[in-house]
Amino acid sequence: MSEAETTPPPPAAAPAPTVPTGSPTEFLKGVVGKRVIVRLTSGVDYRGILSCLDGYMNIALEQTEEHANGRVTNRYGDAFIRGNNVLYISAAEAL
Amino acid sequence: MLIFSVFKTLTDQQVTVELKNDLSITGVLKSVDQFLNIRLDNIQVLDAARHPHMMAVKNCFIRGSVVRYVQLPAEHVDTQLLEDATRREAANPSKR
Amino acid sequence: MDIASGIQEPFDLIRLSLSERVFVKLRGDRELSGVLHAYDGHMNLILSDVEETIMIVDLPEGQTEGTGAVSMAKRKSEMLFVRGDGVILVAPGGR
């Protein structure tokens, strides 16, 4: 009886937020600040460091390289990508 | 809301609306709504020979979603005012 | 969160570009370079001193992607409203 009251609550799902649990939201939290590949529905890829993103999947990238049909076609220091164009975000380094 | 306000200040000015189907229409901006639907009067179509069906059209309503660009009269746009208003709206995300 | 540049959400990147020249990539193989004066949550933009580049790929019948000759059309515009739904990417610093 009293034991239940004194026992501290079990630790939350993950002690450190950097450990991904598998949910999409956790994944996105985990890749902020990491190297990512953003693929657009057009097939063009953007490789860079994910600065941040919002609920529409608008994305801010740093040190961005644009890859189209296997070649680097542009480089940007910073880039804002409008979320509706995003097909996926892929981690390009270990989380 | 901000861009809607900008268009409202430009009523009765001449603008050129370029549509996503590449049709460009110049005319006097008569009115605009929150969807950025646009009414133009006294219109003229760029390259009218290619768009003969537009010849007799004197005014039109353009659905906002089919617009690609609107060329604005630069002399009637206060860029400093725009930037300040944009910063104000960005600081108050509820208005987005 | 990007402490160095103070970017917390993707739109901050755009806000910091107000009154600066930006590069905009649009649907339909169009690119713009212009000075940013206004934007909203849809990424509707108002730019001045705009140069638009339209890429036209001439793909002769039977040729594979990437082999056709690319021609470019350029246009200038003093003050331009750009509807947000056509925006793919915005990068500070035009070219």
Side-chain angles (χ1 to χ4, degrees):
Chain A
M1 270 310 226
S2 62
E3 199 192 328
E5 285 158 22
T6 53
T7 309
T18 51
V19 179
T21 59
S23 80
T25 310
E26 280 301 311
F27 171 81
L28 291 175
K29 280 185 193 163
V31 289
V32 172
K34 299 275 188 355
R35 297 202 71 83
V36 295
I37 304 168
V38 177
R39 172 156 296 186
L40 306 190
T41 49
S42 62
V44 177
D45 280 357
Y46 291 90
R47 293 164 165 268
I49 297 166
L50 182 63
S51 307
C52 56
L53 73 175
D54 66 16
Y56 296 107
M57 276 214 210
N58 294 320
I59 290 172
L61 280 182
E62 292 172 49
Q63 301 173 31
T64 311
E65 279 182 353
E66 177 183 271
H67 292 251
N69 26 75
R71 289 188 304 275
V72 176
T73 47
N74 246 325
R75 287 178 211 277
Y76 313 101
D78 285 295
F80 172 102
I81 298 172
R82 197 174 188 265
N84 67 307
N85 301 292
V86 175
L87 182 62
Y88 66 65
I89 303 168
S90 160
E93 63 176 297
L95 298 185
Chain B
M1 236 32 199
L2 184 146
I3 304 258
F4 172 40
S5 309
V6 174
F7 276 108
K8 277 197 288 188
T9 67
L10 294 173
T11 48
D12 294 322
Q13 302 297 330
Q14 179 137 317
V15 298
T16 299
V17 181
E18 180 174 323
L19 309 186
K20 286 175 178 154
N21 66 2
D22 292 334
L23 183 63
S24 283
I25 307 170
T26 302
V28 177
L29 181 63
K30 286 322 285 181
S31 65
V32 62
D33 67 15
Q34 53 166 337
F35 305 109
L36 307 186
N37 297 322
I38 287 172
R39 265 191 345 114
L40 291 185
D41 258 6
N42 251 321
I43 67 165
Q44 226 164 0
V45 169
L46 193 78
D47 198 0
R50 270 186 56 217
H51 307 280
H53 58 290
M54 294 294 291
M55 280 208 307
V57 185
K58 291 283 166 281
N59 60 76
C60 64
F61 172 96
I62 301 170
R63 187 175 153 98
S65 62
V66 304
V67 172
R68 178 186 291 135
Y69 303 131
V70 183
Q71 284 173 256
L72 309 174
E75 64 277 18
H76 290 104
V77 177
D78 182 337
T79 55
Q80 190 59 55
L81 201 75
L82 274 188
E83 291 165 22
D84 293 346
T86 302
R87 287 194 188 92
R88 239 177 290 127
E89 191 171 89
N92 180 359
S94 66
K95 284 208 212 147
R96 280 196 199 144
Chain C
M1 160 113 63
D2 190 309
I3 291 147
S5 51
I7 293 179
Q8 290 160 347
E9 55 163 14
F11 276 109
D12 290 348
L13 197 63
I14 308 301
R15 184 170 44 82
L16 295 171
S17 303
L18 278 171
S19 79
E20 305 283 337
R21 190 159 280 276
V22 295
F23 169 84
V24 184
K25 197 174 159 69
L26 296 168
R27 288 167 172 261
D29 297 315
R30 289 162 193 266
E31 296 179 350
L32 304 175
S33 166
V35 179
L36 180 67
H37 298 296
Y39 68 88
D40 65 14
H42 297 112
M43 278 315 274
N44 292 321
L45 307 172
I46 295 178
L47 304 171
S48 72
D49 191 17
V50 185
E51 181 172 82
E52 179 189 21
T53 309
I54 309 166
M55 256 83 61
I56 304 146
V57 182
D58 298 316
L59 254 190
E61 284 300 315
Q63 286 227 353
T64 50
E65 198 180 321
T67 57
V70 180
S71 59
M72 301 223 237
K74 296 222 186 232
R75 297 154 74 200
K76 285 187 195 281
S77 186
E78 212 180 342
M79 189 67 67
L80 192 67
F81 161 79
V82 182
R83 192 165 164 96
D85 58 3
V87 173
I88 296 174
L89 173 145
V90 181
R95 60 193 66 204

